[in-house]
Amino acid sequence: MKIAVTGCNGSVGRAVVEQALKRGFDVVGIDLGEAPAEELASRHGFQYIQADLCDYDANLKAFERCDALIALAARPNPGDYVWQTHNTNVVISWNALRSASELGIKRVVQASSVNVLTLVYSQEHKFRYFPIDEDHPIEPDEPYGLSKKIAELQADTIVRRNPDLRIASLRLHWAIPNREYAYRLDPAKRRSDLWGWVQKESAAKSFLLAIGDEGEGWSGHEVFFVSAPDTTQPCDTRELHELFWPNVPIKEGKCLEGRMSFFDSSKAERLFGWKH
């Protein structure tokens, strides 16, 4: 399989490329910046293309003769909170998805974000229940989360006209080297992102699993939370719940035991076999 990976110079993008090459895939890495370090650029099976993916034709050229697309290119935060992040991310997502459909690429995975919810960049937090799953309403009030919500809507639109195209939108949490990287003595500092995280290489693995044969049990467009099954805090999750979010109910049939995450990523395990 030949995989196009946009945003390949980013932290998760680099990990995706490394894992794909180790699995024997050919990889076309695409990014706006200069070519990656020589140890990657010279690897067998890797080709780098420098391109501005806001240009639709640049997408068509870069993805040519690829079998699958992993789309990670995006501005990673709200930026100016005005137009830059929103406009850039929405255009890049549409260009990638539309190019893939035009070229006959049947498997696409795009990076969404837990920030489709009202998390760290939001003024007001609206949590309906814990643990949060894919049925939870998404109501962003800032441009980054909105751009990711629109990217998911664009995927819905693309597959309506291309029913043989399969798209996964992965709602990644904060991708970091390990739990200790995020540890804070004062849990109040991370209450707005519910103390979530995902180990970087494990996040990368989710993209490769989502384009693989493990996902034969679903079609069309699906969204998935990709978050570690535990919080970054050493205390019991019920303590965090009672102290910071006592008015948010626990979803019927669910619980928050031990150091369990406030996010439920079981759909990713069920449909394409991802475990943190």
Side-chain angles (χ1 to χ4, degrees), residues 20-36:
L21 291 172
K22 287 179 181 178
R23 296 186 184 200
F25 297 131
D26 290 330
V27 177
V28 178
I30 307 125
D31 213 303
L32 184 60
E34 297 294 332

Side-chain angles (χ1 to χ4, degrees), residues 20 55 63 217:
D55 177 351
F63 304 161

Side-chain angles (χ1 to χ4, degrees), residues 3 14 20 32 47 74 124 134 141 165 171 218 220 234 274:
I3 305 172
R14 173 65 181 263
L32 184 60
Q47 174 191 0
E124 183 181 0
E134 292 79 7
D141 64 3
L165 173 59
R171 294 174 175 174
W218 60 278
W274 180 76

Side-chain angles (χ1 to χ4, degrees), residues 106-221:
K106 303 302 183 186
R107 298 189 182 189
V108 176
V109 187
Q110 68 172 351
S112 185
S113 170
V114 292
N115 287 289
V116 293
L117 303 164
T118 52
L119 290 177
V120 291
Y121 304 125
S122 299
Q123 287 186 325
E124 183 181 0
H125 306 294
K126 298 179 181 179
F127 302 129
R128 307 298 180 84
Y129 57 79
F130 295 138
I132 292 172
D133 57 19
E134 292 79 7
D135 293 327
H136 193 286
I138 53 175
E139 304 167 290
D141 64 3
E142 45 77 24
Y144 176 71
L146 176 60
S147 74
K148 293 299 186 179
K149 178 176 181 177
I150 292 172
E152 295 181 0
L153 291 172
Q154 290 177 158
D156 288 336
T157 299
I158 290 288
V159 298
R160 289 189 192 108
R161 293 181 70 96
N162 301 272
D164 56 344
L165 173 59
R166 192 180 77 191
I167 304 175
S169 294
L170 304 188
R171 294 174 175 174
L172 294 183
H173 213 302
W174 186 23
I176 55 177
N178 50 56
R179 183 192 297 111
E180 289 70 26
Y181 184 91
Y183 181 70
R184 300 289 186 274
L185 291 177
D186 180 4
K189 293 182 178 179
R190 292 201 58 220
R191 67 185 294 273
S192 61
D193 74 348
L194 301 175
W195 308 275
W197 69 293
V198 61
Q199 200 275 335
K200 181 178 66 175
E201 280 73 26
S202 189
K205 181 182 178 182
S206 70
F207 284 87
L208 293 172
L209 287 172
I211 63 168
D213 294 335
E214 294 86 350
E216 292 297 340
W218 60 278
S219 60
H221 173 231

